[in-house]
Amino acid sequence: MIRRIDAHHHLWDVDSGHHPMLSTAPVERFWGSSGELTKHYGIEAFIADARADDVVASVHVEAAFTPPEDEAAAMQAIADVHGFPQAFLTRIDLGSSDSAARIAADSAYANWRGIRFTAEWPAGSAPGRPARTPFADTDWRRGFTALGTAGGVADLMLWPEQLSEAAALARACPDTQIVIEHFALAGGGNADEAWDTGMPALADCPNVAVKLSGPGLVRRDWSADTIRPLILRLIALFGCDRLMIGSNAPVDLVMADYPTIVARFDAAIADRSDVEKQALWHDTAARIYRIAGER
């Protein structure tokens, strides 16, 4: 039996006030309307989904929790009671003057493992030319270095056009672990030229891994067949020990329920060896996010 770690999910309580994006007027995003996400998805719902599919651990990724400085305490409190999530990432503006203090404060919590940076979205619902990242800015780079010194992982959610900037960052800061989320938003199995150029550059950086997650963000009718070409290309570039699978629940639950997401990923990697499947579903995430007892 393959042991699974869900390497990317969120939790939210619509009525808590901590996720104002869910309680205000719906906003059109590139993947759809934020109004589709206004269903409560707490730790009990996640555990019910996860345990039914042999998920033994998880990585919670920030989702615009407000105020961001309170998220680590909130997530640790959930983990202390329920056992999940075994690792979590918070939101820290690495370019801010207090980034080092925020990193120090969040790293005091046992299950904190790093931060998530989300690139600016293009205007409208269709991907356009995204803004440049702050990766080369002196203040931001100072915060990124402090993150690495604290042992923090940097999850990056980027557009394909920004991957070359991420590769330059990875080369400049080889001691900080970087994880590229959601297939780097490659479009529906047909990655564009920027993806084709950026991903090999990132693969040359040993401190970079990639999440096989969020396929519903770019193709709502995704299937095992639509993601298999991307997975095969990423395996060829990175190897299974630098790739991991995440559900992106509850966002991707808009497009498919949890068992369907798991089944489609299983079908997409059905021809891989058991060792490779275990790496993709478990071992990579356990190693990178330092999930005790799951390495």
Side-chain angles (χ1 to χ4, degrees), residues 74-123:
M75 293 312 306
Q76 190 63 54
I78 291 172
D80 289 345
V81 172
H82 297 277
F84 284 80
Q86 288 79 354
F88 62 82
L89 306 176
T90 55
R91 175 166 50 104
I92 298 174
D93 178 2
L94 296 182
S96 67
S97 59
D98 68 343
S99 63
R102 281 287 319 282
I103 291 167
D106 284 6
S107 66
Y109 291 93
N111 292 23
W112 181 83
R113 294 296 182 269
I115 64 99
R116 181 201 206 190
F117 170 86
T118 301
E120 289 187 36
W121 303 124

Side-chain angles (χ1 to χ4, degrees), residues 144-166:
F144 189 80
T145 300
L147 176 70
T149 300
V153 176
D155 262 39
L156 307 179
M157 186 170 178
L158 304 174
W159 294 98
E161 292 93 334
Q162 297 166 325
L163 297 180
S164 60
E165 296 173 57

Side-chain angles (χ1 to χ4, degrees), residues 95-282:
S96 67
S97 59
D98 68 343
S99 63
R102 281 287 319 282
I103 291 167
D106 284 6
S107 66
Y109 291 93
N111 292 23
W112 181 83
R113 294 296 182 269
I115 64 99
R116 181 201 206 190
F117 170 86
T118 301
E120 289 187 36
W121 303 124
S125 59
R129 297 296 302 183
R132 293 189 62 82
T133 69
F135 297 163
D137 294 349
T138 300
D139 290 341
W140 198 93
R141 185 71 64 84
R142 185 181 299 115
F144 189 80
T145 300
L147 176 70
T149 300
V153 176
D155 262 39
L156 307 179
M157 186 170 178
L158 304 174
W159 294 98
E161 292 93 334
Q162 297 166 325
L163 297 180
S164 60
E165 296 173 57
L169 176 67
R171 289 190 295 267
C173 303
D175 296 328
T176 302
Q177 177 68 57
I178 293 171
V179 178
I180 305 297
E181 296 179 350
H182 302 334
F183 292 98
L185 298 175
N190 299 306
D192 60 22
E193 182 177 350
W195 195 96
D196 289 336
T197 301
M199 275 302 183
L202 286 166
D204 286 339
C205 304
N207 57 324
V208 176
V210 178
K211 283 183 179 176
L212 313 178
S213 57
L217 297 178
V218 293
R219 181 166 178 170
R220 294 174 75 96
D221 63 343
W222 73 279
S223 67
D225 290 337
T226 65
I227 63 172
R228 187 177 295 110
L230 281 175
I231 292 176
L232 292 177
R233 293 168 76 181
L234 289 169
I235 289 175
L237 286 170
F238 289 86
C240 293
D241 62 347
R242 292 167 64 192
L243 303 175
M244 65 188 91
I245 298 172
S247 70
N248 197 32
V251 180
D252 270 50
L253 298 185
V254 172
M255 301 85 176
D257 62 23
Y258 201 97
T260 298
I261 291 172
V262 171
R264 288 176 181 174
F265 273 108
D266 279 345
I269 63 172
D271 62 346
R272 312 310 297 190
S273 70
D274 286 347
V275 171
E276 290 174 310
K277 292 175 184 176
Q278 192 66 58
L280 294 170
W281 266 119
H282 181 282

